[in-house]
Amino acid sequence: MTVHIGAEKGQIAETVLMPGDPYRARWAAENFLEGAELVNEVRGMLGFTGTYKGNRVTIQGSGMGMPSISIYANELIRDYGAKTLIRIGSCGGMQPQVKIRDVVIAMTCTTVATPSSTMFRELNYAPCADFGLLEAAVSAARGRDVGVHVGGIYSSDTFYDERPDLNEQMTRHGILGVEMEAAELYTLANRYGVRALGIMTVSDHLQTGEALPSDQREKTFGDMVEIALEAAFA
Ligand code: HPA
């Protein structure tokens, strides 16, 4: 047990998928894993461990925002020995070619700050995805009926943003989408020498104002879970 995760040491797999929403963790575990068991419910941040094609996997909610995912990723890596961590979430599209329902796979993430910023001081650290995972996720995604984009994303600290000029600068600089967690996950994975990747479906679009209807979210989320699982064990 750790401060925020109630699982015993052996109950967490080396491969962990991390949706922001704990109910999504339950949905993914019920629909994609065999023999899934609840391993964490501290603060309602549900985590499940089961198998996918014979490989052990944990699906653990991360909560929203970098401070929250930082807590879970730190404990998963440092206390439970997680070696592969894949964020599965949503993002807002920031380029015209990035459409609702498409999948964005993040090579790197720009931020105003991460929980690690105080440590980096004057450095603008560029958190980086694991290339092997990225390559495997791209080939898993290309075999499906879904648009795929690979590039930089923006990990923001705000959903209700009082600085729309920041989004404008990100769009001008080719950033594909905005979400709120990946940069800190990548930073921690880079620090501790483990693999991380962020795979996001486009749930809304900052330029067009479109949003994915709730009845279609499950299908696109399912595509992403399968891409993540295939990439993890490629
Ligand atoms: N902003 C920040 N995070 C998000 C968004 C957004 O528009 N959409 C999905 N995650």
Side-chain angles (χ1 to χ4, degrees):
M1 275 176 64
T2 56
V3 178
H4 302 92
I5 301 176
E8 300 299 327
K9 284 260 148 102
Q11 288 185 304
I12 302 278
E14 284 194 357
T15 298
V16 186
L17 267 49
M18 303 188 77
D21 178 352
Y23 292 121
R24 284 279 161 89
R26 179 162 66 199
W27 183 87
E30 283 171 354
N31 286 281
F32 294 94
L33 301 189
E34 278 161 32
E37 284 182 11
L38 179 72
V39 294
N40 182 49
E41 52 183 335
V42 175
R43 291 176 182 246
M45 198 56 75
L46 306 177
F48 298 83
T49 297
T51 61
Y52 176 75
K53 297 184 177 173
N55 302 289
R56 281 186 91 224
V57 189
T58 295
I59 307 183
Q60 169 64 54
S62 72
M64 290 180 282
M66 288 186 271
S68 182
I69 198 169
S70 186
I71 289 169
Y72 294 102
N74 260 295
E75 293 179 13
L76 288 166
I77 297 167
R78 291 162 52 170
D79 299 301
Y80 290 98
K83 300 280 184 249
T84 297
L85 299 96
I86 305 179
R87 161 162 161 70
I88 44 175
S90 62
C91 71
M94 298 183 98
Q95 300 292 333
Q97 76 276 17
V98 176
K99 310 282 189 208
I100 300 282
R101 274 183 292 272
D102 285 357
V103 169
V104 171
I105 302 177
M107 296 168 75
T108 187
C109 323
T110 300
T111 56
V112 170
T114 70
S116 299
S117 295
T118 46
M119 193 183 85
F120 287 124
R121 296 166 188 259
E122 62 270 58
L123 288 169
N124 277 316
Y125 181 71
C128 190
D130 178 82
F131 183 69
L133 270 184
L134 182 111
E135 208 177 18
V138 173
S139 63
R142 290 224 163 107
R144 312 176 73 88
D145 179 25
V146 61
V148 189
H149 308 270
V150 185
I153 62 162
Y154 172 35
S155 296
S156 173
D157 282 332
T158 49
F159 188 89
Y160 298 104
D161 205 339
E162 299 289 340
R163 290 281 309 276
D165 58 309
L166 298 178
N167 291 337
E168 281 164 28
Q169 289 301 350
M170 292 292 89
T171 296
R172 235 182 115 206
H173 289 84
I175 289 295
L176 300 171
V178 53
E179 54 83 75
M180 301 183 65
E181 292 82 15
E184 175 66 1
L185 179 65
Y186 286 12
T187 301
L188 291 172
N190 295 166
R191 187 179 311 152
Y192 293 111
V194 301
R195 307 194 302 167
L197 185 66
I199 307 173
M200 275 69 58
T201 51
V202 181
S203 60
D204 53 275
H205 205 289
L206 274 64
Q207 291 164 328
T208 64
E210 278 176 284
L212 190 60
S214 52
D215 61 339
Q216 292 181 27
R217 283 180 192 234
E218 209 156 85
K219 152 97 179 70
T220 53
F221 185 73
D223 279 332
M224 197 168 44
V225 175
E226 280 187 330
I227 293 167
L229 289 167
E230 289 297 327
F233 302 112

